[in-house]
Amino acid sequence: MSDPGHPSAPSSARPAVLRAASLWLPAGHSWRRLPMIGWVLAAVGLGGSAALGLASEAARRQLWHSWLVGTLFVLSIALGGLFFVLVQHATQAGWSVVVRRIAENAMATLPFVAALLFVPLLFGMGDLFHWSHAEAVKGDSLLIHKQPYLNVKFFVLRTVMYFAIWWALAFWFGRLSRLQDATGDHELTRRMRRASPPGLILFGLSVTFFAFDWLMSLSPEWYSTIFGLYFFAGSAMAFFAFLALVVIAARRTGLLAEVLSDEHQHDIGKFLLTFVAFWAYMAFSQYLLIWYANLPEETVFFAHRIVGSWRAASAVLALGHFVVPFFFLLPRSVKRNATALAGASIGLLAMHLLDLYWLVMPNLHPAGMVPSLLDATALIGCCGVFLAAFGGALKRQALVPLRDPRLPESLIFENV
Amino acid sequence: MAGLKGILRGILRPSLPPGELFGALAEFATPAELYHACEGVRDAGYTRWDAHTPFPVHGLDRAMGLKASRLPWVVLVMALGGAATGMGLQGWVSTIAYPLVISGKPFFSWPAFIPVTFELGVLGGAVGAVFGMFAFNQLPTLHHPLFASTRFERASDDGFFISIESWDPRFDADRTVDLLRRLGAKEVELVPSFSEPAKPGDATTRATP
């Protein structure tokens, strides 16, 4: 499958012909058990959460906040996958074809996340969102002013719209990609390219308003126009950490040995570094403007996050979500070293989780962090749902877009 | 004035070790042949040599046995230096040189200094990358002995070349030319250190038979 016209190194060790069997998840491979493991985790985690959460009113409030953190964690990775697929098509990227199917499988989890994790959350709205109570709105002129936007009916309608947009994009791009596996039709690549820029616009708007609705409105008096980008930056970073882990784990377990190389891993590492920096840029831009203007209705967000142990969490985020990983990921050798990149990815996923926890939980525990068993069970349950859906998608289709016209370019890709 | 003249002369004519011979120049027909020839030259133990291609050939640095570039370190130091300058200058102005209370904030209000610190860091890194690359490549060099070869003009069109410099410890005119021929060179020539620049249409200089 090598391209004779390409001026690449002729000494490439990769074979000219790929074995079809090596492009599917082989029978007996440990990843075939992912859906089963995922559903067990989901049942145990979500069932345990429900059992624990029904114990008392305080536990119920904790349940919905923990559930929201866990749900946003897996949703952000799925959304990152959708973003990656859209960008690769919009830019006609060649290098990424061999990892695009992994992103397509990640975005294929969106309907599961919506049905199993977001639908229950709608029942927790009363515990999550202060503004959803009519008596709370009555005495608050700001909430009365925002009521045409912030009311339960419109909120639910918007949430349905966001998921409809994401599901439609994920379904359409996934379907055309699979169709190309069967037909090899190059026109499909052109159609996906033409659809991706409008798709990106829809994605950007829907993610922005989703973040406004589900995170910013937790404290409805507060607002920040950059907040949508802040959530997006963390999500994209989390996805690249996830992608790096999947690629490294695949190579360790002998999957796609002839396909994935240090070169692809290196590029994913570059993206990871980029989004570490981009998240910091967004986070600091938000902080700088609020700090400089010093208006009480804006500073309240940070005032709540320098109280008690939240202060330590804020410091850990600044260091662990930016300073340390930024300098750690700078050298070329780190991005090409599987162990180092996997370690950085695990650390950054943990930081992303802390970031979401830091966004949600001060509304429930204003005095400081209060770890709860429900945080763990809800997270396990949400990750279980994601793993099950992701593993199911892995089994259903080839591990790479088999007949993408740029697959040969991707196979022999090298960083200059 | 003498100093300026010396600098100009250095730019116009790179300082070369003494000797009449600059080295051997070999042309290869394809990138693949060049790639394998580079491996051969590398394995023969040559250290002062270069490859010339009209476009980047992936993996050629490995075939040539080049070590990792030192440029990233220059960029890192320049970027950190730029950032330190930005923060230091603003901090010094705001606390020592001209302390001024601005919207009731402390004199050393570091968050307000971050944008300039960041931009100067980017500027330092960019300047380090461009001029560090110039320095490592010894640019600008307005003349080079290889320009004496008319064939070498095709290095910017469709020619693939290896040049081995005569002051390489392993260089020996006969044996080096022999090695390059054995590695599949289409043509090999010896290039003099000093010559008038070739004019278009001149016969190739001193082609070996």
Side-chain angles (χ1 to χ4, degrees):
Chain A
M1 275 206 182
S2 83
D3 179 355
H6 195 278
S8 183
S11 74
S12 172
R14 275 163 260 160
V17 180
L18 293 169
R19 287 174 292 114
S22 70
L23 299 175
W24 293 76
L25 202 56
H29 192 276
S30 57
W31 287 15
R32 288 208 156 259
R33 291 199 296 274
L34 271 183
M36 197 188 70
I37 297 169
W39 290 127
V40 170
L41 288 178
V44 171
L46 298 183
S49 299
L52 286 169
L54 292 175
S56 68
E57 200 193 319
R60 200 188 66 216
R61 283 170 58 82
Q62 177 71 52
L63 164 71
W64 293 123
H65 283 82
S66 301
W67 191 298
L68 180 60
V69 171
T71 303
L72 289 172
F73 182 67
V74 294
L75 175 74
S76 58
I77 295 172
L79 286 178
L82 177 57
F83 165 74
F84 182 78
V85 171
L86 289 170
V87 165
Q88 302 317 303
H89 285 302
T91 57
Q92 309 186 54
W95 74 272
S96 60
V97 173
V98 293
V99 294
R100 205 185 71 220
R101 193 46 66 73
I102 299 171
E104 288 170 2
N105 292 335
M107 73 186 186
T109 64
L110 278 165
F112 293 87
V113 174
L116 295 174
L117 301 177
F118 264 92
V119 169
L121 265 180
L122 292 176
F123 294 97
M125 276 183 70
D127 286 324
L128 284 168
F129 300 110
H130 169 64
W131 53 261
S132 66
H133 300 279
E135 63 273 22
V137 176
K138 241 177 239 164
D140 192 323
S141 59
L142 258 178
L143 289 188
I144 292 171
H145 182 66
K146 290 182 178 181
Q147 208 180 17
Y149 183 83
L150 271 190
N151 61 71
V152 174
K153 271 186 199 153
F154 192 25
F155 182 92
V156 173
L157 178 69
R158 283 196 307 271
T159 302
V160 171
M161 273 170 50
Y162 304 143
F163 278 100
I165 291 170
W166 298 337
W167 177 80
L169 287 173
F171 176 78
W172 191 81
F173 280 89
R175 194 177 68 94
L176 260 62
S177 185
R178 276 197 305 280
L179 195 60
Q180 195 171 49
D181 280 3
T183 65
D185 185 1
H186 289 191
E187 182 58 27
L188 293 171
T189 297
R190 275 185 219 109
R191 279 173 66 192
M192 287 192 277
R193 185 192 71 208
R194 279 196 296 271
S196 53
L200 276 169
I201 294 171
L202 274 178
F203 174 86
L205 288 173
S206 56
V207 168
T208 300
F209 281 94
F210 171 84
F212 287 172
D213 285 355
W214 279 90
L215 279 166
M216 212 162 86
S217 85
L218 288 167
S219 40
E221 288 85 8
W222 180 73
Y223 64 93
S224 164
T225 47
I226 206 173
F227 193 81
L229 268 178
Y230 177 86
F231 174 69
F232 160 73
S235 302
M237 188 211 71
F239 168 73
F240 284 111
F242 171 77
L243 182 61
L245 284 177
V246 173
V247 165
I248 291 165
R251 297 181 74 193
R252 287 267 162 99
T253 54
L255 279 182
L256 298 174
E258 302 156 354
V259 175
L260 298 170
S261 69
D262 284 350
E263 307 296 331
H264 303 114
Q265 184 192 313
H266 185 178
D267 262 21
I268 296 166
K270 288 185 217 166
F271 258 126
L272 186 60
L273 172 62
T274 306
F275 276 94
V276 164
F278 184 65
W279 175 89
Y281 198 109
M282 291 300 116
F284 184 77
S285 298
Q286 174 170 287
Y287 175 76
L288 179 69
L289 292 196
I290 291 174
W291 169 83
Y292 210 97
N294 211 10
L295 301 172
E297 69 264 35
E298 293 182 357
T299 51
V300 62
F301 177 81
F302 290 106
H304 283 160
R305 283 161 183 80
I306 53 173
V307 175
S309 52
W310 289 117
R311 195 186 187 88
S314 303
V316 169
L317 268 186
L319 288 174
H321 206 307
F322 172 60
V323 178
V324 174
F326 178 78
F327 285 101
F328 181 76
L329 285 171
L330 265 185
R332 174 187 167 95
S333 52
V334 168
K335 286 172 284 220
R336 297 177 79 89
N337 179 317
T339 311
L341 188 63
S345 300
I346 291 169
L348 283 170
L349 280 175
M351 282 299 128
H352 178 58
L353 183 63
L354 176 66
D355 185 22
L356 295 170
Y357 187 82
W358 180 84
L359 288 173
V360 171
M361 285 299 174
N363 295 298
L364 181 65
H365 303 298
M369 285 188 274
V370 181
S372 159
L373 187 60
L374 276 160
D375 292 331
T377 54
L379 181 68
I380 290 169
C382 292
C383 289
V385 170
F386 181 85
L387 274 186
F390 180 74
L394 272 179
K395 274 163 71 171
R396 272 197 303 277
Q397 50 199 359
L399 296 168
V400 293
L402 292 175
R403 295 164 80 176
D404 188 292
R406 295 194 189 89
L407 183 61
E409 183 187 343
S410 184
L411 285 171
I412 57 169
F413 165 71
E414 294 204 31
N415 286 287
V416 178
Chain B
M1 280 309 281
L4 185 66
K5 255 185 198 167
I7 292 169
L8 276 177
R9 191 175 297 139
I11 290 175
L12 287 168
R13 179 174 285 173
S15 54
L16 298 173
E20 287 193 355
L21 195 60
F22 170 75
L25 180 69
E27 184 181 0
F28 295 84
T30 65
E33 288 174 53
L34 177 82
Y35 185 95
H36 293 302
C38 281
E39 292 175 325
V41 174
R42 174 196 68 196
D43 295 341
Y46 287 91
T47 49
R48 298 218 45 121
W49 61 289
D50 208 349
H52 313 269
T53 60
F55 49 76
V57 175
H58 291 306
L60 201 59
D61 48 342
R62 276 198 302 283
M64 292 175 68
L66 295 182
K67 286 199 279 287
S69 167
R70 287 165 296 170
L71 192 56
W73 291 104
V74 175
V75 176
L76 180 67
V77 169
M78 288 289 286
L80 292 177
T85 306
M87 185 57 84
L89 182 65
Q90 293 174 93
W92 173 73
V93 167
S94 311
T95 56
I96 297 164
Y98 204 89
L100 200 62
V101 175
I102 298 170
S103 50
K105 292 187 161 58
F107 289 133
F108 188 77
S109 286
W110 65 268
F113 304 158
I114 290 286
V116 171
T117 303
F118 170 72
E119 296 299 345
L120 276 185
V122 172
L123 181 67
V127 165
V130 172
F131 291 98
M133 181 275 288
F134 273 37
F136 286 137
N137 286 327
Q138 293 170 12
L139 292 172
T141 298
L142 299 187
H143 183 64
H144 194 279
L146 283 176
F147 295 166
S149 162
T150 47
R151 180 177 290 124
F152 188 66
E153 287 167 10
R154 294 177 62 185
S156 60
D157 181 6
D158 60 354
F160 303 90
F161 294 89
I162 288 177
S163 63
I164 302 181
E165 294 161 18
S166 63
W167 45 91
D168 187 296
R170 291 186 173 266
F171 186 86
D172 172 282
D174 295 334
R175 265 185 287 165
T176 300
V177 168
D178 206 44
L179 171 75
L180 288 167
R181 284 199 196 288
R182 269 190 285 117
L183 290 171
K186 207 162 70 169
E187 301 284 348
V188 184
E189 62 184 287
L190 290 168
V191 181
S193 265
F194 300 103
S195 66
E196 292 300 311
K199 292 176 193 70
D202 277 5
T204 303
T205 49
R206 283 225 240 159
T208 52

